[in-house]
Amino acid sequence: REGILDAVHRCMLVFKREPAVERLLQFVANLASFSNDKYASDSELAVDLLDKIVPLTKAKDKAVRFRSCQLTSKLLNSLGEDAEVSDEF
């Protein structure tokens, strides 16, 4: 979990639409929302990511704001229709 958060934080400073950064953010969003018959969804990872990423949407740096909004969007879109979102932020 720490490694994933570290990789995400490194990507926050890249403003240019680099394919490696785009793929990493998509992978993290898919990983956080993954579930199937054998494994339940790791919603703790999604909650941890959102706890760390949502406050970054108010950052001064344009790249950090862009990437945090992008990852938040990818996470929410990949969670599925049955996911519940709390207003506790």
Side-chain angles (χ1 to χ4, degrees):
R1 195 174 299 232
E2 298 296 323
I4 292 171
L5 291 173
D6 185 46
V8 168
H9 282 292
R10 290 176 190 229
C11 291
M12 289 292 151
L13 298 176
V14 180
F15 184 68
K16 193 174 176 185
R17 303 281 281 201
E18 294 288 332
V21 174
E22 301 286 328
R23 284 192 302 265
L24 177 73
L25 293 178
Q26 187 62 49
F27 173 76
V28 169
N30 290 340
L31 179 67
S33 64
F34 175 76
S35 68
N36 63 13
D37 294 336
K38 286 186 176 183
Y39 305 105
S41 173
D42 188 10
S43 62
E44 290 180 17
L45 178 60
V47 170
D48 285 348
L49 281 169
L50 287 172
D51 282 343
K52 303 273 193 268
I53 299 302
V54 169
L56 294 177
T57 58
K58 299 177 185 176
K60 286 185 178 182
D61 190 3
K62 183 169 46 169
V64 174
R65 283 194 317 266
F66 169 67
R67 292 295 177 186
S68 60
C69 289
Q70 182 183 27
L71 183 56
T72 302
S73 170
K74 287 181 183 292
L75 274 169
L76 293 176
N77 286 334
S78 66
L79 283 177
E81 295 178 12
D82 59 339
E84 295 179 14
V85 178
S86 173
D87 291 336
E88 293 180 13
F89 286 107

